[in-house]
């Protein structure tokens, strides 16, 4: 269902109402404000889809603004990955790429203006002392002894802070609001702190850096944002957002908060994701098990499926936990429509068709996607020796086992019906070869003959070997975040590498990023580790209902 067919969420309702009343002069301008200190994850995708989605739907403009106010944790690598991920997700900021650091001079001038108005002061208390003076939710704060510094002194000291005269932490600039305010964010919040640190864009030009609250609303104002959409944790900051803009008397956007996305079996805190990377619990930010967009891209999740997921979860004010299974469902639905089919054997077992001439090769016609006739068909080579899945043969079949077993017939997808006539075992008594005969009258699977099972196969002689990586949830528990010892629930079996798989020759030249459905097995994507002579596939998502569908089709 597309957004337009649904009842609009509360944010879209507000924007629609304010558009109708012409509150913003016909404009809708939103911004997505990432801090470049990590890679984007699925939670960020929700915010991106909302910010850029609202702008798009109302014929407005979405800005990308890096909130790069903290010089020590930010890196260009993150800026570049964030841009790439947003583009990949399908959004475009056009020429509206901004950095909070672009506004450092203007923010400084505005701070001077607040000092002049008696609404800000230089404080000599340390950060610890400020915290101590701040009071609690139940107890009011205490005034700093420097709160009533004369304006002239504040102007002088603030200029000298900027000039680098004081060491880190020696002074701050604080807004003069109300130390007894019920909302602790209004108890003379810090606007600037001293940090002699190089910034990824401004270099050593500054040694004082604005705090988020001081930078954010004013940046929104400069860009003439109409709706500043952010997550619920900023609700208590809104009075401060409004206070700064009113104190300056400048253009005033509207901040609206919505609930963050929480997803089961993973963590979304950047600090924790960084730990997973730096402690090498995963292979990198783009490890296919990561909830990052780069991880999901590598795993094979299509951006369309992620957007569909964000659309389905909706936007509200109450937090809830969304099952990872919903995202997987969206991925499956999307890939079912678009992914070409192929045959691959992940746990190979050899079948020898005794009555099929040695050296003979037949070409079988296979449809590329039963959901989409325009995707055409391909030829799959068939010969005397085939690989099938170990699971598709049982010497002693359990009840209702419809695949291959001694004396039983099975259909080979797109090829013939075969019957098992015997097995070859190794010295440990394990079946290493299954011998069969085929019925030449059943070619192409069109013969009107009842067999209960259909299995896939790859010709031994034509098969390309491949590595296949299977992924499971990165965490075993539903909410790993809730536990102090969250790393304890990392799933030790979240990655399984199968080094000895075989794929049909049509898949041999697939390029990294290409996605396929391996019939009966799941959806797979070519990994960038693929190199000439070494194919690597990631399992994007399993094909949950494969058995049900194939068996129903067979017995019809
Ligand atoms: P932190 O601030 O702890 O580094 P963050 O995930 O909030 O982490 P930001 O770069 O500040 O990172 O996030 C950018 C935007 O994405 C913010 O507007 C934030 O509200 C939004 N956002 C972050 N996490 C989620 C989430 N889980 N669901 C929806 N939106 C989110
Ligand atoms: Mg944040």
């Amino acid at each position: 269902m597309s957004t337009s067919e649904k009842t609009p969420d509360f944010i879209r309702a507000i924007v629609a109402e304010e558009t109708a009343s012409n509150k913003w002069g016909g404009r809708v301008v939103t911004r997505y404000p990432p801090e470049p200190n990590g890679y984007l994850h699925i939670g960020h995708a929700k915010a991106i889809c909302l910010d850029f989605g609202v702008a798009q739907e109302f014929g407005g403009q979405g800005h990308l603004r890096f909130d790069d106010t903290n010089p020590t944790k930010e890196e260009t690598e993150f800026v570049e990955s964030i841009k790439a991920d947003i583009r990949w997700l399908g959004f475009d900021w056009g020429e509206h790429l901004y950095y909070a650091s672009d506004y450092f001079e203007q923010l400084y001038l505005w701070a001077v203006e607040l000092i002049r108005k008696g609404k800000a002061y230089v404080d000599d208390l340390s950060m610890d002392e400020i915290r101590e003076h701040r009071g609690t939710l139940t107890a009011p704060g205490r005034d700093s002894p420097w709160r009533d510094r004369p304006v002239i002194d504040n102007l002088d000291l603030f200029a000298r802070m900027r000039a680098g005269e004081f060491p880190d932490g020696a002074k701050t600039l604080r807004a003069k609001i109300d130390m007894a305010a019920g909302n602790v964010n209004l108890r003379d919040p810090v606007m600037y702190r001293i940090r002699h640190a190089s910034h990824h864009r401004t270099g050593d030009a500054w040694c004082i850096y604005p705090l988020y609250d001081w930078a954010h609303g004013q940046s929104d104002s400069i860009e003439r944002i109409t709706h500043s959409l952010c997550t619920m944790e900023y609700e208590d900051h809104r009075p401060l957002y409004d206070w700064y803009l009113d104190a300056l008397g400048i253009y005033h956007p509207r901040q609206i908060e919505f609930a963050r996305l929480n997803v089961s079996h993973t963590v979304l805190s950047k600090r924790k994701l960084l730990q997973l990377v730096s402690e090498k619990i995963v292979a990198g930010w783009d490890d296919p098990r990561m909830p990052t967009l780069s991880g999901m891209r590598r795993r094979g999740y299509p951006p369309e499926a992620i957007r569909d997921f964000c659309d389905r979860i909706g936007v509200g004010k109450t937090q809830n936990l969304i099952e990872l299974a919903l995202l997987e469902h969206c991925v499956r639905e999307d890939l079912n429509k678009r992914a070409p089919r192929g045959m691959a054997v992940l746990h190979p077992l050899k079948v020898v068709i005794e009555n099929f001439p040695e050296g003979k090769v037949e070409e079988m016609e296979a449809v590329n996607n039963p959901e989409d006739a325009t995707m055409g068909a391909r030829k799959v080579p068939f010969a005397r020796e085939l690989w099938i899945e170990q699971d598709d043969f049982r010497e002693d079949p359990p009840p209702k086992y419809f695949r291959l077993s001694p004396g039983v017939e099975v259909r080979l997808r797109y090829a013939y019906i075969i019957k098992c006539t015997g097995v070859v075992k190794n010295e440990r008594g394990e079946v290493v070869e299954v011998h069969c005969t085929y019925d030449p009258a059943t070619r192409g699977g069109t013969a009107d003959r009842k067999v209960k099972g259909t299995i896939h196969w790859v010709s031994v002689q034509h098969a390309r070997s491949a590595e296949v990586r299977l992924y499971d949830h990165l965490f075993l528990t539903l909410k790993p975040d809730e536990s102090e010892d969250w790393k304890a629930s990392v799933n030790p079996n979240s990655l399984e590498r199968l080094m000895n798989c075989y794929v049909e020759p049509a898949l041999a030249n697939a390029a990294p990023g290409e996605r396929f459905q391996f019939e009966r097995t799941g959806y797979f994507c070519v990994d960038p580790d693929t190199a000439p002579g070494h194919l690597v596939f990631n399992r994007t998502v399993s094909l949950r209902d494969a058995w049900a569908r194939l068996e129903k089709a067979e017995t019809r």
Side-chain angles (χ1 to χ4, degrees):
M1 195 167 20
S2 81
T3 316
S4 54
E5 294 160 9
K6 288 198 301 196
T7 321
D9 56 68
F10 80 101
I11 289 181
R12 288 175 166 90
I14 291 172
V15 176
E17 193 186 303
E18 294 184 351
T19 302
S21 69
N22 204 29
K23 177 171 175 186
W24 304 98
R27 299 176 313 117
V28 172
V29 187
T30 61
R31 88 287 166 266
Y32 177 67
E35 188 179 347
N37 62 351
Y39 280 61
L40 296 180
H41 57 57
I42 185 70
H44 297 131
K46 173 179 177 174
I48 293 166
C49 288
L50 179 64
D51 287 322
F52 287 99
V54 163
Q56 232 166 47
E57 289 153 36
F58 288 88
Q61 181 62 53
H63 294 187
L64 171 59
R65 183 199 316 138
F66 286 100
D67 166 27
D68 56 352
T69 50
N70 184 346
T72 54
K73 285 196 270 170
E74 293 154 6
E75 285 175 35
T76 315
E77 174 198 350
F78 298 132
V79 168
E80 293 311 316
S81 75
I82 289 169
K83 288 200 272 188
D85 285 350
I86 296 175
R87 282 208 191 93
W88 174 74
L89 204 51
F91 296 104
D92 184 9
W93 51 88
E95 60 208 26
H96 299 281
L97 171 64
Y98 305 106
Y99 295 82
S101 57
D102 292 343
Y103 310 136
F104 280 174
E105 187 64 36
Q106 177 65 70
L107 290 170
Y108 178 83
L109 295 174
W110 274 332
V112 169
E113 190 180 327
L114 287 196
I115 295 173
R116 283 219 172 86
K117 289 181 170 168
K119 292 184 179 197
Y121 60 97
V122 172
D123 196 348
D124 292 4
L125 294 183
S126 68
M127 273 302 200
D128 281 342
E129 289 166 324
I130 290 176
R131 212 166 293 125
E132 210 183 288
H133 276 69
R134 209 162 168 226
T136 64
L137 286 176
T138 48
R142 283 179 294 134
D143 286 1
S144 161
W146 310 103
R147 195 173 198 262
D148 292 317
R149 233 174 198 148
V151 168
I152 185 106
D153 293 357
N154 284 323
L155 288 172
D156 172 58
L157 287 169
F158 189 49
R160 289 163 59 195
M161 279 169 67
R162 176 182 184 169
E165 278 190 35
F166 308 109
D168 286 6
K171 295 186 191 309
T172 59
L173 184 75
R174 297 177 70 181
K176 194 170 182 177
I177 307 180
D178 178 5
M179 288 307 293
N183 182 337
V184 290
N185 291 306
L186 295 177
R187 293 182 189 170
D188 292 11
V190 173
M191 297 164 61
Y192 279 93
R193 66 202 154 151
I194 302 174
R195 273 268 175 103
H196 291 269
S198 269
H199 184 277
H200 77 116
R201 296 190 78 239
T202 58
D204 295 322
W206 294 87
C207 63
I208 56 171
Y209 288 96
L211 270 86
Y212 172 88
D213 284 315
W214 171 243
H216 200 79
Q218 283 58 254
S219 303
D220 283 350
S221 177
I222 291 168
E223 292 173 26
R224 294 179 60 78
I225 300 298
T226 56
H227 299 88
S228 181
L229 312 176
C230 58
T231 37
M232 288 306 290
E233 68 270 25
Y234 295 105
E235 190 174 34
D236 289 343
H237 294 244
R238 181 163 20 97
L240 180 55
Y241 181 100
D242 291 336
W243 189 92
Y244 282 138
L245 294 168
D246 289 342
L248 293 167
I250 56 178
Y251 173 87
H252 196 145
R254 174 168 181 186
Q255 174 179 308
I256 307 171
E257 308 84 20
F258 61 94
R260 303 175 81 82
L261 168 64
N262 298 306
V263 181
S264 72
H265 301 100
T266 194
V267 293
L268 291 182
S269 142
K270 276 195 273 192
R271 188 175 54 79
K272 289 177 181 163
L273 294 175
L274 180 63
Q275 244 174 296
L276 290 172
V277 173
S278 58
E279 294 174 20
K280 303 207 175 350
I281 295 169
V282 295
W285 286 99
D286 69 344
D287 186 301
R289 292 166 292 178
M290 289 282 271
T292 53
L293 296 184
S294 51
M296 292 180 175
R297 173 166 62 235
R298 184 164 182 174
R299 175 127 170 205
Y301 285 17
E304 292 84 354
I306 296 176
R307 295 204 305 266
D308 178 36
F309 170 77
C310 291
D311 195 26
R312 287 182 202 224
I313 57 174
V315 178
K317 282 211 177 256
T318 33
Q319 285 235 28
N320 51 5
L321 183 76
I322 306 288
E323 288 272 356
L324 208 49
L326 177 63
L327 178 57
E328 290 174 353
H329 172 78
C330 296
V331 170
R332 236 179 242 120
E333 266 206 2
D334 185 78
L335 290 179
N336 181 43
K337 285 180 270 167
R338 298 193 297 139
R341 273 50 170 172
M343 290 200 284
V345 172
L346 305 195
H347 299 92
L349 172 63
K350 191 180 274 184
V351 164
V352 178
I353 303 173
E354 289 170 329
N355 61 340
F356 195 89
E358 248 171 281
K360 179 176 175 183
V361 178
E362 283 189 29
E363 305 236 279
M364 301 299 175
E365 171 120 335
V367 295
N368 285 333
N369 188 344
E371 304 284 322
D372 183 356
T374 65
M375 289 173 74
R378 68 187 186 283
K379 300 273 190 247
V380 187
F382 182 89
R384 179 180 160 92
E385 293 192 342
L386 308 173
W387 295 118
I388 64 164
E389 297 285 351
Q390 288 166 15
D391 263 358
D392 284 341
F393 175 79
R394 283 285 173 276
E395 201 177 6
D396 288 309
K400 301 217 164 155
Y401 184 84
F402 298 133
R403 292 162 272 166
L404 203 56
S405 58
V408 169
E409 282 194 330
V410 84
R411 190 189 301 281
L412 293 174
R413 187 89 162 136
Y414 304 120
Y416 297 102
I417 289 176
I418 57 170
K419 181 178 194 165
C420 172
T421 53
V423 297
V424 176
K425 293 185 181 180
N426 63 14
E427 63 283 4
R428 290 191 299 277
E430 298 156 349
V431 174
V432 291
E433 242 174 63
V434 178
H435 284 231
C436 295
T437 53
Y438 85 114
D439 179 351
T442 57
R443 189 186 153 121
T446 49
D448 187 22
R449 169 106 143 257
K450 285 240 186 292
V451 275
K452 286 226 166 122
T454 297
I455 64 174
H456 61 276
W457 50 274
V458 176
S459 158
V460 169
Q461 171 196 347
H462 302 92
R464 303 302 156 95
S465 65
E467 175 187 342
V468 172
R469 299 175 185 168
L470 304 180
Y471 302 99
D472 197 356
H473 294 159
L474 186 51
F475 290 89
L476 293 167
T477 51
L478 207 59
K479 305 179 188 177
D481 254 337
E482 278 191 345
S483 158
E484 196 60 46
D485 189 13
W486 58 278
K487 276 183 274 178
S489 64
V490 167
N491 179 0
N493 303 314
S494 55
L495 167 61
E496 188 187 352
R497 293 176 72 175
L498 307 175
M499 306 305 290
N500 186 32
C501 307
Y502 293 106
V503 302
E504 65 167 279
L507 299 174
N509 298 318
E514 275 190 69
R515 309 178 187 97
F516 299 92
Q517 183 195 99
F518 292 173
E519 295 218 23
R520 297 176 62 233
T521 310
Y523 294 97
F524 292 78
C525 176
V526 183
D527 189 83
D529 282 350
T530 285
H534 183 65
L535 272 170
V536 183
F537 288 93
N538 294 315
R539 183 169 68 194
T540 307
V541 66
S542 61
L543 198 71
R544 203 189 284 135
D545 54 354
W547 291 121
R549 274 200 285 118
L550 278 174
E551 272 154 28
K552 216 162 67 204
E554 268 321 305
T555 48
R556 249 200 309 248

